[in-house]
Amino acid sequence: MKEALVAPGVVVRIVDSPIPEPNDDQVLIKVIVSGSNPKDWKVPEMVKQERNEGDDIAGVVEKVGANVFEFKPGDRVAAFHQMITPHGSYAEYAIAWAHTTFHLPAKTTFEEAATIPLAGMTATLGLYRSLALPSPWDPQPSTTHPLLIYGASSAVGYFALQLALHSNIHPLILVAGNAKDYLEPLIDRSKGDTILDYREGADALLANIRAALAGRPLFHAFDAISEQGSPQLIGKVLAAEAGPAGEKSKVTFVQGLFGPMEGLPEYVQQVVTKVNDVHMDEGREFGFVWFRYLARGLSEGWFRAQRVTVREGGLGGVQKALLDLKEGRVSGMKFVFRIGETEGVERE
């Protein structure tokens, strides 16, 4: 099979590799569409290794392990490949654990599905595990406290926004840029939801966040960017005092695995949302339940995929796409790759 390996410096090499075999608890998936993420260029540079970095799988089940009971060959699925392991989605065939694989509704395309696994689970973990906000099946009366989502038009932010809406969390204070108009149809301004533009500058954004809060304390923030000054700005608007139930201000980041972010007040609780936790013992049950719930959301229509741009050439388009991600030449959409368009792959 054809497989794309990403090396430091965002250099991609397409090689011939054997088709992998699933273990008893895994699924072998024929990849129809692979999604991309910023980590796909960051991790090889961090670990100084060449690897198949694709973690978003959308395709058809080819083979299942002996303990797999939910899936059979021919099923349309999406899956979250375990990060930093072999057999990712930048290939004709990929391996996923059964508990991080989920069925696709007939109306969901493979291109749409490839936007969801990694970013959708990051959003879910961030809201309901890191921030411990009310779940959709146990919503609270609309809202005691507002929620700030910084980077709301990013893949993680867009999914976090939809989940927060489904949990009846308002007011939502969304920070975005070029793609802010993409968010407008989703929000409910009658409940205080608002969209703010970070491009107006840090001082203006800080003032606009405070104006949107209208005197209400902010105890929860989801930073889907986690760089370029966003942590420090968020630290300036989170409440210093404890809430009525004794809660303290909390922010979750999607980066910062090696220690707390600098420049935040000591009273702010910092939590790093690590999506690969769903592949560890402490997160397996969470991942199993929530991936199936996201599939239900796709079927019911309250959960939608991010906008996609299909890069030409299948795996041959990965290098340019990752370079565009590295240079910040993308906003409010996700690059995906149709594996069948790869040179040397036989199309059906």
Side-chain angles (χ1 to χ4, degrees):
M1 69 172 187
K2 298 296 182 183
E3 180 176 28
L5 304 177
V6 184
V10 198
V11 176
V12 177
R13 185 167 62 100
I14 299 176
V15 300
D16 289 308
S17 300
I19 296 175
E21 282 288 321
N23 69 22
D24 286 350
D25 300 303
Q26 292 177 332
V27 180
L28 175 67
I29 301 170
K30 182 176 182 179
V31 185
I32 306 301
V33 180
S34 171
S36 62
N37 293 282
K39 61 147 282 292
D40 298 352
W41 68 264
K42 292 179 180 180
V43 171
E45 296 194 356
M46 181 176 65
V47 301
K48 310 298 183 190
Q49 291 180 1
E50 180 185 58
R51 58 176 71 241
N52 176 344
E53 275 299 323
D55 293 322
D56 284 328
I57 307 168
V60 177
V61 173
E62 181 77 11
K63 188 176 183 180
V64 300
N67 297 332
V68 176
F69 63 92
E70 291 181 274
F71 307 103
K72 64 183 185 305
D75 285 349
R76 299 175 71 253
V77 297
F80 175 34
H81 166 260
Q82 184 173 359
M83 297 163 63
I84 325 275
T85 67
H87 314 312
S89 67
Y90 289 162
E92 291 184 69
Y93 294 88
I95 293 285
W97 294 95
H99 77 279
T100 58
T101 302
F102 56 98
H103 290 281
L104 293 178
K107 65 182 179 181
T108 302
T109 68
F110 290 122
E111 288 80 6
E112 291 170 331
T115 74
I116 293 168
L118 187 150
M121 185 50 60
T122 302
T124 306
L125 283 162
L127 287 177
Y128 303 117
R129 197 172 185 207
S130 299
L131 296 178
L133 290 168
S135 65
W137 51 80
D138 188 25
Q140 302 300 307
S142 178
T143 263
T144 306
H145 303 306
L147 170 65
L148 172 66
I149 302 177
Y150 198 110
S153 62
S154 68
V156 172
Y158 183 65
F159 293 137
L161 163 59
Q162 294 180 74
L163 289 162
L165 289 166
H166 198 57
S167 291
N168 199 34
I169 297 171
H170 300 278
L172 296 171
I173 301 172
L174 311 177
V175 178
N178 289 328
K180 64 180 184 178
D181 292 342
Y182 176 41
L183 309 176
E184 186 65 39
L186 298 180
I187 66 172
D188 188 342
R189 289 193 176 269
S190 71
K191 295 182 179 180
D193 298 347
T194 191
I195 305 170
L196 307 176
D197 194 331
Y198 74 88
R199 295 172 299 176
E200 296 180 8
D203 291 342
L205 179 57
L206 192 61
N208 290 335
I209 292 173
R210 287 172 173 157
L213 289 169
R216 291 169 294 210
L218 177 67
F219 293 105
H220 300 102
F222 193 133
D223 188 353
I225 304 300
S226 306
E227 59 186 3
Q228 300 176 350
S230 61
Q232 293 72 33
L233 186 142
I234 290 171
K236 294 178 181 179
V237 293
L238 285 166
E241 71 278 8
E247 67 268 37
K248 294 183 179 180
S249 293
K250 184 183 289 188
V251 57
T252 188
F253 300 110
V254 296
Q255 296 186 45
L257 301 180
F258 305 109
M261 294 287 188
E262 297 181 353
L264 275 75
E266 291 185 2
Y267 56 78
V268 173
Q269 293 180 272
Q270 299 188 39
V271 183
V272 177
T273 294
K274 296 176 284 187
V275 68
N276 213 37
D277 280 356
V278 297
H279 288 120
M280 310 302 169
D281 287 344
E282 64 271 20
R284 286 174 58 88
E285 300 304 308
F286 186 101
F288 176 86
V289 171
W290 272 100
F291 271 127
R292 283 140 189 80
Y293 194 74
L294 295 182
R296 180 181 176 185
L298 288 170
S299 178
E300 294 178 347
W302 58 261
F303 189 72
R304 287 172 279 183
Q306 194 183 29
R307 294 184 297 188
V308 301
T309 294
V310 178
R311 300 305 294 257
E312 295 181 357
L315 295 175
V318 170
Q319 179 167 306
K320 179 61 166 60
L322 296 188
L323 284 168
D324 285 346
L325 284 174
K326 183 176 183 179
E327 297 300 324
R329 293 190 290 264
V330 56
S331 179
M333 61 87 178
K334 188 154 185 165
F335 295 135
V336 302
F337 315 97
R338 293 175 178 144
I339 305 304
E341 295 179 357
T342 306
E343 185 177 353
V345 170
E346 293 186 12
R347 301 194 188 192
E348 295 184 355

